[in-house]
Amino acid sequence: MSEETDTRLVKGAIVKVHGLKGAAEYNGCIGHLEEFNEEKGRWSVKLAKDGFILGVKPANIQFQRAPPVDDDDDVEGAIMERTQRRFQKIIKKYNLFSEDKAGEIADLLTGGAGLSKVSPKDFATKYGMEEEEAEVFLKWIQMGVHFKEEAIDPHSSASEKLADDLSTKL
């Protein structure tokens, strides 16, 4: 998995900066991720040693450890947000947002296209994308299916919890 598609790169993650040429003095520095600038394609990395903030491309960031959190849902949520952002970029990059393309992809993924299982390599070949992009695309779809199965299936424990949570808030 490349640094660009590394879903562990989320706000608060501890990282090491490497491979910088214009600011080589920061190579090897440890910091944490502040925010991702979509337009520039860079993370704001706040350095631990002096609090200085660098704009760093994902390729120059090496994941060290997950952000310190009290709740595992925060980490899962951050990973989901990162995966969703990448998914949306891929949709735009390859023009996969039309109804025709969406239907074609749905058929492909549900077996309607005569395939029982679609690998990232097959998907990448079919849509002319990098295999790592196909992995992110399919991972986001998989997350949606998992959510549907867990939260929307009226008989699942997650669905019952969601219904209870909603009824107490209404």
Side-chain angles (χ1 to χ4, degrees):
M1 180 179 292
S2 77
E3 291 83 358
E4 186 176 340
T5 60
D6 190 342
T7 57
R8 299 174 301 173
L9 297 183
V10 297
K11 183 176 180 176
I14 308 302
V15 298
K16 182 190 279 188
V17 176
H18 69 91
L20 299 178
K21 293 186 174 95
E25 66 271 20
Y26 295 109
N27 288 332
C29 288
I30 301 293
H32 70 270
L33 300 178
E34 292 275 304
E35 65 182 336
F36 187 73
N37 183 319
E38 292 285 339
E39 286 181 20
K40 295 181 180 180
R42 294 173 186 260
W43 277 98
S44 294
V45 178
K46 186 171 186 178
L47 301 179
K49 70 177 186 175
D50 58 10
F52 186 73
I53 296 178
L54 293 171
V56 184
K57 293 178 184 176
N60 298 109
I61 296 173
Q62 182 181 38
F63 175 82
Q64 298 293 297
R65 66 180 182 270
V69 293
D70 295 329
D71 186 8
D72 287 341
D73 288 342
D74 291 341
V75 174
E76 277 186 44
I79 289 170
M80 286 182 73
E81 286 176 25
R82 173 80 172 134
T83 304
Q84 182 185 28
R85 278 196 314 268
R86 288 283 298 134
F87 175 83
Q88 290 169 339
K89 279 176 123 179
I90 292 164
I91 286 175
K92 288 177 187 172
K93 182 176 178 180
Y94 296 100
N95 295 314
L96 301 177
F97 46 82
S98 72
E99 277 189 48
D100 291 343
K101 284 288 186 195
E104 179 182 306
I105 291 168
D107 286 346
L108 181 69
L109 298 178
T110 59
L115 298 173
S116 59
K117 187 173 180 179
V118 179
S119 72
K121 183 177 181 176
D122 294 337
F123 194 86
T125 300
K126 179 156 182 69
Y127 293 101
M129 63 178 65
E130 298 294 321
E131 192 171 337
E132 291 169 327
E133 292 172 317
E135 287 176 14
V136 170
F137 186 96
L138 294 172
K139 180 178 176 116
W140 180 249
I141 298 295
Q142 185 180 36
M143 289 171 142
V145 168
H146 180 71
F147 172 78
K148 180 185 178 294
E149 289 171 347
E150 289 294 313
I152 298 176
D153 176 4
H155 304 293
S156 74
S157 60
S159 179
E160 290 170 6
K161 182 182 180 319
L162 180 61
D164 288 343
D165 289 349
L166 290 173
S167 66
T168 59
K169 293 178 183 177
L170 296 177

